[in-house]
Amino acid sequence: MSKPITEFIEKYYLHFNAAALVDASKGYVAHLKEGGKMMITLAGAMSTAELGKILAEMIRQDKVDFISCTGANLEEDLMNLVAHSHYERVPHYRDLTAQDEWNLLERGLNRVTDTCIPEEEAFRRLQKHIVEIWKDAEAKGERYFPHEFMYKMILSGVLEQYYEIPRENSWMIAAAEKNLPIVVPGWEDSTMGNIFASYCIKGELTATTTKSGIEYMTYLADWYTKNSAGKGVGFFQIGGGIAGDFPICVVPMLYQDMEMHDIPFWSYFCQISDSTTSYGSYSGAVPNEKITWGKLDITTPKYIVESDATICAPLMFSYILEN
């Protein structure tokens, strides 16, 4: 089997963050080969960065067992799927004036660094169909997690009429087809979460139709308890924030609050982050700090790649897929 990425990075990535990238990739491969499971957490705008092109293949090849992501990453993969040709790239975004930004707003373009998401073709296309699914569930007295509602929409086929990228490039399609476990902490802080809230305010939906963050934690606790035997569960964190902070806490919660003193620590840890280590910055904290919080063991393999995840994650996933 040809392994061009493996050969390239093992030849040239020899020191500093480059070497950390190789070590972490090898650790990921070893963890899976020894029977371990892996959680990936997605912060930032990874879906708008089109990480789905390779993350989808990671999911299809069973290199991922659980995903924690922000509501933005959950929905923006589908936005890219249904509205890709309407996106606009702004490579000179650093030079934009306040008036330039206002002009983008008036055109219905919401900017994420150098990429503008079109409101009408992206947000509203999803809204049209997801609202029907929300209301149908409520009418039946059913309740689901945010990602389960998205899975229902994908698997129903109602979005296929809009597909503008190959379906194999969507990590959400891959996840829906696998029924991959997902937690979406802070979903309310997403466009679809805001839209759902607006329907609740108007009296057309009830907040409890969508399951809560507390229910996500209990869902994760149940999954972790059932899957942490043997080699255990690894934690591959892209970025910082709630996507990583929320799920990593399940271990100390089970150990300290549930008094399950035989619960294993996370058995692999890697974070790709460009956050500067500073006073009180959890996203920039070195992995050893997590030992004091009962999340990682002294012996847990720990890696931190201080770089841009849009550059590093595709390389690491390519290495993992080749090996």
Side-chain angles (χ1 to χ4, degrees):
M1 177 182 174
S2 176
K3 298 183 177 181
I5 299 298
T6 299
E7 293 169 2
F8 178 84
I9 68 173
E10 287 187 350
K11 180 176 181 179
Y12 296 110
Y13 282 35
L14 304 176
H15 303 281
F16 320 133
N17 273 302
L21 181 152
V22 179
D23 292 342
S25 300
K26 288 181 176 179
Y28 193 124
V29 171
H31 181 77
L32 295 186
K33 285 186 175 179
E34 292 169 14
K37 296 182 182 297
M38 189 67 72
M39 171 182 281
I40 288 181
T41 78
L42 301 176
M46 291 298 105
S47 289
T48 292
E50 299 187 67
L51 189 63
K53 285 187 172 183
I54 192 160
L55 179 57
E57 189 62 22
M58 290 279 286
I59 294 169
R60 285 191 291 268
Q61 293 196 24
D62 298 318
K63 307 294 187 184
V64 186
D65 298 283
F66 204 114
I67 285 178
S68 172
C69 70
T70 58
N73 277 297
L74 190 76
E75 66 195 16
E76 287 177 13
D77 180 81
L78 296 183
M79 291 176 183
N80 180 58
L81 175 68
V82 303
H84 183 77
S85 68
H86 299 275
Y87 279 55
E88 288 191 22
R89 185 161 178 263
V90 187
H92 58 284
Y93 65 91
R94 292 181 178 85
D95 302 325
L96 295 178
T97 64
Q99 184 61 53
D100 293 332
E101 303 280 20
W102 184 263
N103 293 342
L104 291 173
L105 170 67
E106 291 196 317
R107 292 176 56 209
L109 294 171
N110 300 103
R111 185 171 69 82
V112 181
T113 312
D114 71 343
T115 303
C116 294
I117 303 175
E119 181 168 339
E120 194 62 34
E121 293 82 5
F123 301 170
R124 303 311 167 194
R125 278 182 182 174
L126 294 187
Q127 178 181 355
K128 175 183 176 181
H129 298 289
I130 198 70
V131 169
E132 292 180 4
I133 296 172
W134 289 334
K135 290 186 174 181
D136 181 64
E138 179 150 323
K140 294 176 179 176
E142 297 172 350
R143 304 176 64 241
Y144 297 98
F145 286 119
H147 78 277
E148 291 177 318
F149 278 120
M150 293 294 199
Y151 281 2
K152 284 179 176 292
M153 182 167 59
I154 293 166
L155 297 175
S156 73
V158 295
L159 298 181
E160 291 181 8
Q161 60 186 305
Y162 309 118
Y163 286 4
E164 294 192 351
I165 64 170
R167 59 180 293 115
E168 60 267 24
N169 289 348
S170 165
W171 75 262
M172 276 292 289
I173 289 180
E177 291 175 344
K178 287 268 189 182
N179 195 26
L180 191 76
I182 296 181
V183 293
V184 191
W187 174 73
E188 301 82 359
D189 180 36
S190 66
T191 299
M192 292 303 116
N194 291 172
I195 290 170
F196 182 84
S198 75
Y199 280 89
C200 293
I201 294 167
K202 290 184 288 187
E204 296 181 35
L205 286 170
T206 305
T208 52
T209 296
T210 294
K211 292 185 178 180
S212 70
I214 295 298
E215 289 169 288
Y216 258 140
M217 181 57 81
T218 60
Y219 168 74
L220 172 57
D222 179 65
W223 183 91
Y224 191 90
T225 302
K226 292 174 179 175
N227 288 273
S228 57
K231 183 62 179 176
V233 184
F235 198 94
F236 188 91
Q237 181 173 342
I238 298 178
I242 196 170
D245 298 354
F246 179 92
I248 203 168
C249 290
V250 74
V251 172
M253 183 198 74
L254 290 170
Y255 185 92
Q256 298 168 13
D257 304 317
M258 293 296 295
E259 298 183 353
M260 297 171 63
H261 294 161
D262 59 344
I263 201 74
F265 292 102
W266 295 97
S267 54
Y268 163 101
F269 178 83
C270 174
Q271 180 177 6
I272 307 175
S273 175
D274 59 3
S275 178
T276 303
T277 300
S278 60
Y279 300 108
S281 167
Y282 184 77
S283 297
V286 296
N288 276 356
E289 184 176 298
K290 294 170 177 61
I291 295 173
T292 73
W293 289 90
K295 298 167 183 175
L296 303 181
D297 200 349
I298 294 172
T299 58
T300 302
K302 307 171 192 70
Y303 310 92
I304 184 163
V305 183
E306 297 179 300
S307 189
D308 184 338
T310 63
I311 297 170
C312 292
L315 278 172
M316 297 181 76
F317 290 166
S318 294
Y319 181 100
I320 293 159
L321 287 167
E322 286 181 357
N323 292 277

